Amino acid sequence: MPEYNPNAIEKKWQKIWDENKTFHSEIDHDKEKYYALVEFPYPSGQGLHVGHPRPYTALDVVSRKRRLEGYNVLYPMGWDAFGLPTENYAIKNKIHPSKVTEDNIKNFKGQLKSIGFSFDWDREINTTNPEYYKWSQWIFIQLYKHGLAYKNEMSVNWCPSCQVGLANEEVVDGKCERCGTEVVHKMKNQWMLKITEYADRLIDDLDEVDFEDRIKAQQINWIGRSNGANVNFNLKEVDEKLTVYTTRPDTIFGVTYMVISPEHPILEDYKEKIQNYQDVLSYQEEARKKSDFERAELNKDKTGVMLDGISAINPLSGKEIPIWVSDYVLMSYGTGAIMAVPAHDSRDYEFAKTFDMPIIPVYETANKEELPLTDINKGNSINSEFLNGLNATDAKKKSIEYIEENNLGEATTNFKLRDWVFSRQRYWGEPIPMVYCEEHGWNPVDESELPIMLPEVDTYEPTATGESPLSEIKDFVNTTCPVCGGPAKRETDTMPQWAGSSWYYLRYMDPHNDKAIASDQALNYYSPVDWYNGGMEHTTLHLLYSRFWHKFLYDLGVVPTKEPYQKRTSHGMILGEDHQKMSKSRGNVVNPDDIIRDYGADTLRTYEMFIGDFGSTAIWSDEGVRGCRKYLERVYNMLDLVEDGEEYSKDLEVSIHQTIKKVSEDYENLKFNTAIASLMSLSNEMRSIGKITKADFRTYLILLNPVAPHLTEELWELAGFDGMLNQTTWPSYDEKKLVLDEFEMPVQINGKMRGKVLMDMEASEEDAISAAKSDSNIFNHLDGKEIRKIIYVPGKILNIVVG
Ligand code: ANZ
């Protein structure tokens, strides 16, 4: 038998699958559909890294298994190709981004194909294709028409290096997610999407889907729903009230001062009254230099200015309290003003300690060291008049009632989630299909004009003014007003990279439709995505954005389900052998092409599935790769053990049924590593027995097929089995055959163990006794004695009492 030669085998089968369109899916109402989805890659210049195949192989395993179980599986792939890295590369190397994208896709596609994923390549999509982004623009227009897209002059996170506005989600630790530059604030007129309108539903509908708990928790925290009250504090010196947002109105008797954000408008409004207005101005100047992230940090030194000239009155206690300006209060949350309760809030406590402000506990504590007492489950209310004696939950309820009855404010829900900044001042994105006319303001272009094509240009560098490069292309900018036909100007900002990926899973259902996102028929058949796997880092960005767009499309009646994805799981990252994140500069990057060349795609796939718990971070190991290659070689050589026989070998039957059960369940539960371990151990057993039947081998190949599809197809053919492996059915196991039907029965004579004999689990008493007598030791102990009593428990023990 020839040696295992993965490269030849893999090319051969990839060609056959391609030519036969083995993994192509079409609407087929006689079959149940199964839609498996993985995040489509950004086709970067670096090509695929070994992180990509981990999730792709995982859902490939599920998809291949599902097909053998009779499902009509849709497992598609495409390109999320707009975005900054391509544009930056294009600028640097003076190549058009569309050319860069084309080359990168070609490279990526070749790499993905060489791993043998069962993608339906007929459904390949590319977000930068005008036939695709036509629909991204169409969705934007619908959002606009429904009041969910608006233009707003606002302070945005600005990356001075990329020269682009960033959404909060793209700012990590105060730095640009892409390039790591410190993000600053800049006022800009931007398109915004009202994701906040969907905030409640984005939380509540999580009850209806099967997402990993950690994913649900991250989304809930990100949306950050909190319940409390807006409470009005009158100012003493002027006829004005200052409204605060608090989640703890029950602590209002513990308020010892108020804090307003440096950007709060009353500062400007009452500057005449504020004696130390100069101090305020210089404090504002300082605050402007800090990111919201820095300002909100818990353990940073507290700074601030106490206003001299205006103060406030606590509406419940009637006490006069000072007002401070401090940057730990953000203008972008709640009302930009707070009532400070240092005894029960950590940041207020730090501030009060710094500036020597009074601290009044309003919940009883065992001792002073417990301050600030922030645990709302501890203690009962004190120093709080009509709230005294209540626990925090009851006190909160009662205080809100009181506030509402006395017109001092009202119950309020707040969200951390902000509206989505949807404008980018860059070239390589979808043009926003809006037109501005002096007379009629902003209007969407007529839908018949879609797509608004990205113009061909010579330079796509960001402009010094921070405007999009499109703003310098007169032919593009100058247009006519959709309302009056008079001269008008196009929007020159483009969409963020998140646009195309917010609805791509819908396009796969009907990728070539030029009348709609997808036909109703396709949407009804394939929706929802049954299983979506992707990175944890996309939980608060892409996953939330796409759920928002989907819900909006659901409200329009475009899509049939409330949620896009029924199930969502996440994989762990693969680190380099040095336990560090793989990166070019560290020199620890493993290129999948090398692994395929040296060991084969099946080895790469097996190793990526065997590397460790799927949900956790894993460390790459070349040693581990070699181990997987050895295992596949042994499987290849098992062909020599095959003898005729259409039944499982007696000696292997139980193990085979156990393995079918284990592997079937493990693949579903993302426990690929233990599934492979059990297949390894079954192969050891087979080899130690030295021969296997065709039935044994056939089942073995099917179970391993989802992980190592090329090798198993080849062996299927070499063994002369019918048709191709991908046309067969997934094996089932027999519950009764999961345990051995023979066992070693202990035999006792007069209470003493005298030996063990191999027995059928359900043997009769007569058979049990004659089997016992066939053991010479037991025979000797019985010899010549009268049997007085027999106690036989089938499957357990035989007791003989002799006289
Ligand atoms: C009084 C109080 C007493 C508060 C107490 C908390 C504990 P979440 O849960 O995040 O919504 N706050 C309100 N607006 C703020 C802003 N713009 N910048 C910084 N802090 C702000 O938190 C709401 C709480 O954060 C509010 O409740 C307020 O402080 C503070 F024992 O009011 B609390």
Side-chain angles (χ1 to χ4, degrees):
M1 166 157 183
E3 253 184 49
Y4 175 41
N5 177 357
N7 294 340
I9 294 174
E10 288 166 4
K11 281 209 187 68
K12 167 182 159 186
W13 286 101
Q14 283 161 16
K15 189 155 169 264
I16 294 174
W17 295 332
D18 248 0
E19 285 170 359
N20 292 350
K21 293 195 182 292
T22 304
F23 308 117
H24 180 58
S25 171
E26 277 299 325
I27 295 177
D28 176 355
H29 290 286
D30 293 336
K31 271 186 161 183
E32 203 174 323
K33 65 91 187 183
Y34 195 84
Y35 186 176
L37 183 69
V38 285
E39 288 169 344
F40 60 164
Y42 175 73
S44 72
Q46 277 99 49
L48 215 63
H49 54 74
V50 289
H52 287 111
R54 197 181 195 193
Y56 295 174
T57 310
L59 283 209
D60 198 46
V61 168
V62 174
S63 295
R64 286 175 180 271
K65 169 171 178 276
R66 282 291 147 92
R67 287 192 197 94
L68 297 180
E69 288 171 332
Y71 289 89
N72 177 10
V73 173
L74 173 59
Y75 189 40
M77 184 39 68
W79 316 105
D80 187 15
F82 274 130
L84 277 179
T86 298
E87 186 169 342
N88 289 340
Y89 180 88
I91 292 169
K92 208 164 141 202
N93 297 285
K94 307 224 176 299
I95 313 174
H96 197 277
S98 64
K99 173 76 179 117
V100 177
T101 300
E102 194 188 308
D103 293 347
N104 290 349
I105 287 180
K106 204 157 154 246
N107 181 36
F108 259 73
K109 191 167 172 181
Q111 290 186 297
L112 289 179
K113 285 204 153 187
S114 73
I115 306 177
F117 295 124
S118 64
F119 295 131
D120 180 355
W121 286 106
D122 287 348
R123 291 173 181 268
E124 177 179 353
I125 57 175
N126 172 350
T127 55
T128 67
N129 184 334
E131 279 144 39
Y132 181 92
Y133 69 66
K134 168 178 178 172
W135 298 105
S136 306
Q137 292 174 333
W138 181 85
I139 296 172
F140 182 89
I141 292 179
Q142 310 316 309
L143 286 161
Y144 179 80
K145 286 182 173 167
H146 289 82
L148 294 169
Y150 61 97
K151 226 173 187 191
N152 198 19
E153 170 85 27
M154 62 173 304
S155 158
V156 293
N157 304 303
W158 182 259
C159 173
S161 162
C162 300
Q163 300 206 7
V164 69
L166 302 171
N168 282 341
E169 291 85 329
E170 295 167 307
V171 181
V172 178
D173 295 352
K175 301 202 175 84
C176 170
E177 185 200 40
R178 299 256 179 225
C179 71
T181 305
E182 197 81 37
V183 169
V184 297
H185 283 254
K186 188 166 175 152
M187 291 308 279
K188 267 223 134 284
N189 218 342
Q190 306 261 22
W191 284 103
M192 308 285 296
L193 295 186
K194 258 192 214 165
I195 188 171
T196 50
E197 192 124 311
Y198 283 75
D200 273 318
R201 284 163 67 187
L202 288 169
I203 291 182
D204 297 340
D205 291 350
L206 287 173
D207 286 343
E208 295 179 16
V209 291
D210 175 19
F211 288 10
E212 280 176 13
D213 287 344
R214 56 180 176 162
I215 296 174
K216 285 192 182 180
Q218 265 200 20
Q219 290 214 335
I220 291 168
N221 284 340
W222 185 262
I223 297 168
R225 178 160 63 190
S226 79
N227 295 312
N230 276 352
V231 187
N232 304 321
F233 284 62
N234 284 324
L235 297 188
K236 184 171 160 241
E237 295 77 6
V238 289
D239 184 18
E240 178 73 76
K241 48 187 194 209
L242 189 54
T243 306
V244 302
Y245 173 65
T246 175
T247 46
R248 298 291 306 276
D250 54 305
T251 62
I252 195 160
F253 291 96
V255 174
T256 56
Y257 59 99
M258 292 177 86
V259 185
I260 60 176
S261 150
E263 298 82 18
H264 201 286
I266 68 154
L267 291 169
E268 168 75 22
D269 293 350
Y270 296 101
K271 58 181 174 200
E272 314 292 299
K273 293 270 176 199
I274 301 170
Q275 309 295 316
N276 55 344
Y277 194 63
Q278 272 315 315
D279 297 345
V280 172
L281 286 178
S282 48
Y283 188 76
Q284 285 174 325
E285 186 56 37
E286 283 305 304
R288 236 191 305 281
K289 293 183 194 149
K290 294 187 198 164
S291 67
D292 279 4
F293 175 81
E294 275 176 84
R295 285 171 51 167
E297 243 178 322
L298 198 58
N299 291 318
K300 62 151 206 156
D301 290 339
K302 295 284 174 288
T303 57
V305 176
M306 187 163 102
L307 296 185
D308 181 4
I310 55 174
S311 58
I313 306 287
N314 185 326
L316 266 73
S317 69
K319 279 195 202 151
E320 181 183 340
I321 46 174
I323 303 174
W324 284 75
V325 181
S326 175
D327 63 9
Y328 80 94
V329 174
L330 306 175
M331 198 59 221
S332 53
Y333 188 67
T335 61
I338 67 155
M339 56 180 226
V341 186
H344 302 289
D345 178 279
S346 309
R347 281 183 289 177
D348 297 345
Y349 183 83
E350 288 167 18
F351 189 91
K353 282 282 177 194
T354 309
F355 292 106
D356 223 2
M357 297 301 292
I359 298 172
I360 306 174
V362 287
Y363 279 89
E364 62 198 352
T365 58
N367 52 50
K368 267 224 144 95
E369 281 73 64
E370 276 183 71
L371 290 180
L373 178 70
T374 55
D375 183 349
I376 67 158
N377 297 312
K378 273 199 184 156
N380 287 330
S381 184
I382 53 170
N383 301 328
S384 296
E385 300 183 9
F386 64 98
L387 300 174
N388 285 344
L390 297 178
N391 65 35
T393 314
D394 293 343
K396 188 168 164 179
K397 213 167 139 222
K398 195 157 179 185
S399 60
I400 293 180
E401 274 165 22
Y402 182 92
I403 287 163
E404 290 194 325
E405 272 161 22
N406 293 281
N407 286 327
L408 301 170
E410 69 277 313
T412 308
T413 300
N414 259 310
F415 296 91
K416 289 263 153 48
L417 185 71
R418 296 278 82 106
D419 278 344
W420 176 7
V421 184
F422 201 69
S423 298
R424 297 291 181 278
Q425 293 71 42
R426 298 297 294 222
Y427 172 75
W428 193 230
E430 303 87 342
I432 294 176
M434 299 294 293
V435 169
Y436 185 78
C437 158
E438 288 293 342
E439 197 166 330
H440 297 101
W442 284 106
N443 278 291
V445 303
D446 194 278
E447 285 172 25
S448 64
E449 284 177 36
L450 297 180
I452 300 302
M453 302 272 284
L454 205 50
E456 286 290 326
V457 292
D458 299 330
T459 105
Y460 20 81
E461 276 87 350
T463 62
T465 58
E467 290 302 311
S468 157
L470 294 180
S471 64
E472 310 206 321
I473 304 167
K474 297 274 167 302
D475 280 356
F476 177 79
V477 175
N478 294 323
T479 183
T480 50
C481 170
V483 179
C484 65
K489 290 197 185 313
R490 278 191 203 286
E491 172 60 63
T492 58
D493 284 355
T494 54
M495 298 187 193
Q497 204 194 341
W498 311 109
S501 57
S502 288
W503 68 280
Y504 76 114
Y505 57 94
L506 297 173
R507 191 63 177 169
Y508 283 137
M509 298 182 193
D510 191 9
H512 310 296
N513 195 321
D514 59 1
K515 308 260 166 348
I517 281 180
S519 71
D520 285 347
Q521 204 201 7
L523 289 163
N524 287 328
Y525 181 71
Y526 285 117
S527 296
V529 171
D530 293 282
W531 188 341
Y532 189 19
N533 185 84
M536 265 324 269
E537 71 278 18
H538 291 144
T539 306
T540 50
L541 309 154
H542 158 64
L543 199 62
L544 208 56
Y545 292 153
S546 60
R547 290 183 61 223
F548 160 46
W549 277 32
H550 189 91
K551 287 182 176 305
F552 168 66
L553 293 172
Y554 175 76
D555 292 346
L556 289 189
V558 173
V559 298
T561 59
K562 269 202 217 166
E563 286 282 333
Y565 320 115
Q566 187 48 44
K567 173 172 176 172
R568 168 80 178 189
T569 53
S570 275
H571 54 275
M573 209 171 13
I574 295 185
L575 303 179
E577 288 208 286
D578 57 357
H579 296 223
Q580 302 289 317
K581 202 173 157 173
M582 287 192 192
S583 81
K584 245 206 213 141
S585 57
R586 287 202 189 90
N588 60 354
V589 176
V590 180
N591 185 339
D593 293 347
D594 298 341
I595 305 296
I596 294 170
R597 186 196 58 222
D598 296 345
Y599 302 96
D602 281 332
T603 294
L604 173 69
R605 297 170 60 110
T606 306
Y607 178 61
E608 295 240 357
M609 293 297 92
F610 193 55
I611 193 168
D613 173 45
F614 184 70
S616 314
T617 307
I619 317 287
W620 186 268
S621 142
D622 286 338
E623 189 59 37
V625 177
R626 284 192 287 275
C628 287
R629 166 65 192 249
K630 286 223 178 72
Y631 160 61
L632 295 184
E633 278 167 17
R634 287 197 293 269
V635 173
Y636 188 75
N637 293 327
M638 271 161 64
L639 191 58
D640 294 339
L641 310 180
V642 182
E643 296 182 355
D644 277 348
E646 287 307 319
E647 310 250 308
Y648 293 145
S649 305
K650 203 83 197 104
D651 292 347
L652 289 168
E653 200 179 28
V654 171
S655 296
I656 291 178
H657 282 279
Q658 284 173 341
T659 311
I660 297 173
K661 180 174 193 310
K662 171 117 185 100
V663 169
S664 303
E665 290 171 359
D666 281 0
Y667 283 168
E668 293 297 325
N669 296 319
L670 298 172
K671 291 186 185 152
F672 306 105
N673 51 339
T674 53
I676 293 169
S678 69
L679 283 167
M680 288 174 169
S681 107
L682 179 58
S683 85
N684 289 341
E685 212 179 320
M686 290 175 158
R687 285 181 313 123
S688 76
I689 289 174
K691 57 179 194 213
I692 54 177
T693 65
K694 285 191 165 173
D696 298 336
F697 197 46
R698 194 181 285 123
T699 294
Y700 193 89
L701 293 181
I702 302 172
L703 294 179
L704 178 61
N705 171 264
V707 174
H710 312 85
L711 168 66
T712 48
E713 281 279 13
E714 179 73 9
L715 287 170
W716 186 271
E717 188 180 83
L718 291 173
F721 296 150
D722 283 347
M724 283 189 279
L725 199 168
N726 65 69
Q727 296 162 329
T728 189
T729 48
W730 191 254
S732 54
Y733 61 89
D734 183 346
E735 202 68 56
K736 289 205 264 340
K737 301 235 162 106
L738 292 174
V739 282
L740 281 171
D741 50 8
E742 281 187 333
F743 81 115
E744 293 215 298
M745 176 181 70
V747 180
Q748 290 191 354
I749 297 173
N750 288 353
K752 285 217 172 76
M753 252 306 252
R754 294 300 179 192
K756 283 183 173 176
V757 287
L758 200 61
M759 240 4 268
D760 215 83
M761 294 287 285
E762 280 150 33
S764 67
E765 188 173 295
E766 211 175 306
D767 287 349
I769 293 166
S770 74
K773 283 182 180 165
S774 68
D775 179 285
S776 62
N777 189 38
I778 297 170
F779 184 84
N780 290 339
H781 278 95
L782 291 175
D783 196 27
K785 289 172 190 147
E786 187 197 342
I787 294 182
R788 292 222 179 124
K789 197 174 174 189
I790 290 168
I791 306 158
Y792 170 56
V793 189
K796 290 251 149 52
I797 197 165
L798 175 66
N799 263 306
I800 304 174
V801 182
V802 293

